[in-house]
């Protein structure tokens, strides 16, 4: 497929703007940058509020948004976990994508602004999501619930499936992970050549962030790095990945290890979380994803 003008523009802007610069910071510089970025939370836009019904409430210390179709919604439910390297708040890109999913599928979405590192770790994230999910399975049949996450959100989505097994709550209908980070050790040698051309993310900062996020768990605990988890009793997993994304080598390993329950879609040389960008290259993945939610 010929590279679209939209993708060329995104690539140019990303490189000129050094979008991935933060992911190469470490130590105090990284912490200062994260602190500044965490103060800039994107809220549902006027466009989103016009297209959908938007409400919010508090769960633990987290704001949780409910984005519903203006017309009568289906009996299904989406729980969407936005990525951001475990440290960045939800972005306008995420809200636009969530609006697309809600309006195209006529399905309500619950969007938790889950706790972020370095202040919080995986245990705080799982505690918040557990409270949200407990309420969700009271209001909806688990077989109608889809949990979706991109990037770090994809990691959390997969890890939450393991957590549900631990605490004895039912699995959702399915889990969809977009460009998930499945191994936070980042030791796979196949990552390096892809990282050189990945203009969205980088591993130096992620390695440090992983140490904050893991809390008392090891990096090879499945709840931190799903690659090492046992997904035998998980809900069906659908993964979207691209060979231009540094998370791809480990995602490919995850899909191979869990092929009995995983549907794996791989695309050529597209950027990290490519289905979220309004580019033609993401259309096939978006249509597949929408079909899964109807």
């Amino acid at each position: 497929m010929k590279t679209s003008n939209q993708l060329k523009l995104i690539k140019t802007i990303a490189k000129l703007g050094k979008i991935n610069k933060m992911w190469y910071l470490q130590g105090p510089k990284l912490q200062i940058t994260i602190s500044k970025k965490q103060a800039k939370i994107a809220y549902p836009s006027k466009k989103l509020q016009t297209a959908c019904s938007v409400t919010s409430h508090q769960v633990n210390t987290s704001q949780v948004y409910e984005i519903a179709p203006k017309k009568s919604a289906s009996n299904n439910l989406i729980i969407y976990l936005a990525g951001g390297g475990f440290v960045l708040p939800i972005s306008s890109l995420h809200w636009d994508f969530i609006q697309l999913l809600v309006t195209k599928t006529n399905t309500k979405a619950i969007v938790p602004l889950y706790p972020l590192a370095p202040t919080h770790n995986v245990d705080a994230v799982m505690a918040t999501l557990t409270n949200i999910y407990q309420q969700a399975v009271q209001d909806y049949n688990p077989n109608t619930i889809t949990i979706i996450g991109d990037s770090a959100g994809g990691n959390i989505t997969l890890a939450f499936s393991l957590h549900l097994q631990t605490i004895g709550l039912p699995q959702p209908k399915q889990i969809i992970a977009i460009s998930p980070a499945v191994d936070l050790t980042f030791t796979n040698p196949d990552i390096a050549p892809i990282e050189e051309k990945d203009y969205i993310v980088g591993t130096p900062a992620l390695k440090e962030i992983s140490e904050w996020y893991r809390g008392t768990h090891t990096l090879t605990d499945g709840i931190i790095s799903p690659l090492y988890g046992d997904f035998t009793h998980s809900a069906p997993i659908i993964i979207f990945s691209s060979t231009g994304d540094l998370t791809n080598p480990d995602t490919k390993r995850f899909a191979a290890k869990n092929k009995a329950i995983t549907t794996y879609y791989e695309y050529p040389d597209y950027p990290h979380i490519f289905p979220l960008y309004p580019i033609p290259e993401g259309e096939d993945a978006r249509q597949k994803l929408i079909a899964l939610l109807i």
Side-chain angles (χ1 to χ4, degrees):
M1 181 180 181
K2 185 179 178 182
T3 302
S4 68
N5 290 332
Q6 295 96 318
L7 180 53
K8 287 178 182 176
L9 180 61
I10 287 172
K11 189 172 184 178
T12 299
I13 291 171
K15 288 188 173 182
L16 290 176
K18 298 180 179 178
I19 295 296
N20 64 355
K21 180 181 178 181
M22 179 192 126
W23 304 110
Y24 286 89
L25 299 176
Q26 291 178 303
K29 287 185 178 180
L30 175 62
Q31 294 192 39
I32 290 169
T33 299
I34 288 171
S35 180
K36 289 179 180 178
K37 289 182 178 293
Q38 286 185 351
K40 299 178 180 179
I41 301 172
Y43 294 101
S45 65
K46 287 183 179 179
K47 184 180 85 168
L48 173 55
Q49 294 182 58
T50 300
C52 304
S53 171
V54 179
T55 58
S56 68
H57 62 278
Q58 201 84 7
V59 173
N60 297 355
T61 60
S62 298
Q63 196 78 2
V64 178
Y65 284 87
E66 295 187 8
I67 314 297
K70 284 285 178 79
K71 57 185 178 179
S72 180
S74 71
N75 293 323
N76 299 327
L77 177 70
I78 297 166
I79 298 176
Y80 194 96
L81 306 179
F86 308 98
V87 295
L88 299 184
I90 192 168
S91 70
S92 58
L93 182 69
H94 291 110
W95 287 122
D96 287 346
F97 187 60
I98 291 163
Q99 178 182 332
L100 174 75
L101 297 182
V102 170
T103 56
K104 291 292 185 181
T105 67
N106 197 37
T107 302
K108 178 180 176 179
I110 293 176
V111 186
L113 306 191
Y114 55 82
L116 299 174
T119 304
H120 304 282
N121 60 38
V122 64
D123 295 327
V125 174
M126 292 297 144
T128 297
L129 295 183
T130 298
N131 287 344
I132 292 166
Y133 192 74
Q134 284 175 325
Q135 184 61 53
V137 295
Q138 289 181 29
D139 299 336
Y140 291 81
N141 186 318
N143 291 328
T144 67
I145 300 173
T146 298
I147 306 179
I148 308 175
D150 67 88
S151 193
N155 168 294
I156 295 168
T157 296
L158 293 167
F160 189 59
S161 174
L162 298 178
H163 182 67
L164 289 176
Q165 296 175 46
T166 301
I167 61 177
L169 284 177
Q171 291 286 312
K173 174 188 175 182
Q174 59 192 349
I175 291 163
I176 301 175
I178 303 167
S179 301
V182 298
D183 183 2
L184 299 195
T185 70
F186 296 104
T187 53
N188 188 339
D190 293 339
I191 293 173
I194 301 176
E195 184 171 15
E196 288 180 5
K197 59 181 182 179
D198 190 324
Y199 48 89
I200 303 296
V201 290
T203 60
L206 286 170
K207 289 177 181 177
E208 187 166 336
I209 290 165
S210 297
E211 289 295 328
W212 306 334
Y213 180 70
R214 71 180 179 86
T216 59
H217 302 269
T218 66
L219 287 176
T220 53
D221 187 326
I223 205 168
I224 302 300
S225 298
L227 178 63
Y228 304 101
D230 180 359
F231 285 83
T232 307
H233 303 292
S234 172
I237 296 168
I238 302 94
I239 294 178
F240 295 89
S241 185
S242 163
T243 58
D245 172 6
L246 65 80
T247 65
N248 176 258
D250 289 329
T251 301
K252 197 178 299 186
R253 290 168 64 200
F254 179 94
K257 180 183 175 184
N258 299 286
K259 59 184 177 182
I261 59 163
T262 302
T263 301
Y264 178 61
Y265 295 111
E266 185 175 85
Y267 295 80
D269 205 31
Y270 299 161
H272 187 62
I273 64 168
F274 68 95
L276 277 69
Y277 292 101
I279 54 176
E281 286 82 354
E283 188 59 22
D284 183 76
R286 285 191 291 272
Q287 291 304 319
K288 284 184 169 65
L289 207 158
I290 288 167
L292 288 164
L293 299 173
I294 295 174

